[in-house]
Amino acid sequence: MSASHDHAADAPHAQAGTRREPRARGEAAGHAPSAGHSGAGLPQGPLTSLRRFTLEDAAEFTARARESRALHRPWLFPPTEEEAYAAYAGRLLASPEREGFLVGERAAGGAIAGFVNINNIVEGAFRCGALGYGAFAHAAGRGLMSEALGLVLRYAFGPLGLHRLEANVQPGNAASTALVRRAGFRLEGFSPDFLHIDGAWRDHERWAITSEMLPEEQG
């Protein structure tokens, strides 16, 4: 599969709600954080497991990102150098409004296959977040990201207590559209000139899913 952009991290929500209060990383609705294990309390499937970003993942993540340039462009621009990764991961780890997950391939000892981030998390009456995600080239087309996205949905609508997740996808990104459609997202609209990516304002389709729409096998 190709990948969705992760520029949703910088796209503001217009709807009313309250921003999340800072809390210990990994703590959500009764899931206490566990020191020394970045995957503690996170779901896993037959093919993949989720774990949180760490600064120690810089070398592996950026190597995979460099290998995947042809797959990612023009949709996705993950950090390809360790300094840029440190800033990127640091924002995910520090912000109470973001949850970042690395996708590990279980058959390969947890090697990084991709990532799924929940950005712009708003609580209160809204309880929503915006997804950004991407597969690395060696893992594309193998069902890993489909399973991992399902794991993230289960976690978001369970321990995180969210009600709605949005995914904004450029119309030409067929693989990303197929991914969210398989996961049960519905197309809610079209926004011209929605996000500034790669030097220009890009049109996006707006896809979303609520907790009531989650397929039973993921609930």
Side-chain angles (χ1 to χ4, degrees):
M1 62 160 285
S2 183
S4 170
H5 62 80
D6 196 27
H7 294 266
D10 301 313
H13 281 299
Q15 296 92 333
T18 58
R19 294 291 180 180
R20 299 175 84 200
E21 293 296 326
R23 57 187 168 194
R25 179 58 50 184
E27 179 184 356
H31 281 228
S34 300
H37 193 329
S38 61
L42 298 177
Q44 64 179 17
L47 301 177
T48 61
S49 59
L50 302 179
R51 59 185 175 88
R52 301 194 183 279
F53 281 75
T54 71
L55 298 181
E56 289 72 25
D57 291 305
E60 182 182 3
F61 186 100
T62 55
R64 291 303 190 187
R66 290 190 296 271
E67 293 170 0
S68 305
R69 282 192 178 104
L71 172 69
H72 290 165
R73 303 299 189 264
W75 318 114
L76 183 66
F77 297 83
T80 56
E81 303 299 330
E82 293 191 23
E83 183 177 355
Y85 172 87
Y88 173 78
R91 288 192 296 271
L92 287 169
L93 292 168
S95 174
E97 299 168 5
R98 299 175 182 174
E99 294 278 349
F101 307 101
L102 292 172
V103 177
E105 182 180 358
R106 297 187 65 189
I112 300 173
F115 59 92
V116 183
N117 299 330
I118 308 175
N119 305 299
N120 299 330
I121 297 173
V122 179
E123 294 183 336
F126 195 29
R127 288 194 289 153
C128 181
L131 288 176
Y133 49 84
F136 291 127
H138 74 286
R142 298 168 50 203
L144 302 179
M145 289 302 293
S146 290
E147 181 182 273
L149 180 56
L151 296 178
V152 171
L153 296 180
R154 183 193 311 167
Y155 187 72
F157 293 145
L160 288 185
L162 298 182
H163 175 253
R164 174 184 171 89
L165 288 173
E166 301 174 354
N168 300 303
V169 182
Q170 293 186 61
N173 192 344
S176 185
T177 298
L179 177 66
V180 294
R181 182 180 283 120
R182 283 195 302 271
F185 285 64
R186 67 189 170 208
L187 179 62
E188 294 191 339
F190 176 82
S191 295
D193 300 335
F194 185 62
L195 289 174
H196 196 267
I197 299 171
D198 195 24
W201 290 99
R202 309 293 181 181
D203 300 343
H204 282 71
E205 294 175 343
R206 302 192 314 275
W207 294 79
I209 188 170
T210 63
S211 57
E212 295 87 353
M213 298 164 58
L214 192 67
E216 288 189 9
E217 61 270 20
Q218 294 178 8

